[in-house]
Amino acid sequence: MRITMIACMDRDRLIGRGNDLPWKLPEDMRFFKEQTMGKPVLMGRKTFESFGSRPLKGRRNLLLSRGEGEAPAGTELFRTPEEALQAVAGEEELMVIGGEQVYRLLLSRADRLLLTEIDRSYGGGDAYFPELPEGEWELADSAAGLEQGPQGETYAFQTYVRKALARKS
């Protein structure tokens, strides 16, 4: 099974502020939906809450949380990344959709990163995409966004692959 992380970040690696995105980029939202539709998505509790505590339609919603309680309707609740990975072992691809703690927990296991990189700094927040370990990743594809954001933002859809995987293809 391939593990793909998908995120949108500014030039400081910011991915969130106050459990929300500091930007509104419709093209990135369409990209996210297109890439995740029909696939299992793994997210943390805060990310789930940022969607209004509702599961994403058309996707198997896996929730990673250390907290007590039952799985919210339409989700499967796991206490550890290992439990979640075991539950989707037969799937072709798992999409890891955030937040920061979930990205940190699973970065070492990821095969591919789909990062929308915004050419702007939004001045800080409380969630960041982790730094990529030196020498482990290479840029496999890059496509400039076709639309500007409401504040004139430009961005690119970047696909990174783990170098060991890139050599196999």
Side-chain angles (χ1 to χ4, degrees), residues 48 55-56 59-62 71-76:
F48 179 70
L56 296 174
R59 289 151 272 205
R60 183 176 171 191
N61 287 251
L62 310 175
T75 71
E76 298 169 56

Side-chain angles (χ1 to χ4, degrees), residues 43-142:
M43 69 191 98
R45 177 188 51 81
K46 289 180 185 176
T47 298
F48 179 70
E49 290 171 357
S50 77
F51 298 139
S53 297
R54 292 185 310 270
L56 296 174
K57 293 179 182 171
R59 289 151 272 205
R60 183 176 171 191
N61 287 251
L62 310 175
L63 189 57
L64 189 60
S65 177
R66 293 181 302 262
E68 297 298 317
E70 300 289 314
T75 71
E76 298 169 56
L77 182 61
F78 300 95
R79 303 289 179 221
T80 67
E82 292 74 22
E83 290 175 0
L85 293 173
Q86 191 172 19
V88 294
E91 298 281 352
E92 186 176 319
E93 182 175 29
L94 171 66
M95 302 298 292
V96 178
I97 65 171
E100 178 179 351
Q101 296 306 315
V102 176
Y103 290 135
R104 289 188 186 287
L105 284 169
L106 289 158
L107 182 61
S108 66
R109 299 178 187 197
D111 306 298
R112 187 171 74 129
L113 308 174
L114 301 177
L115 299 177
T116 303
E117 297 179 359
I118 304 170
D119 189 24
R120 178 181 174 167
S121 175
Y122 286 84
D126 51 26
Y128 293 84
F129 196 84
E131 291 284 339
L132 302 183
E134 187 74 31
E136 288 186 23
W137 297 91
E138 68 183 5
L139 185 62
D141 190 43
S142 179

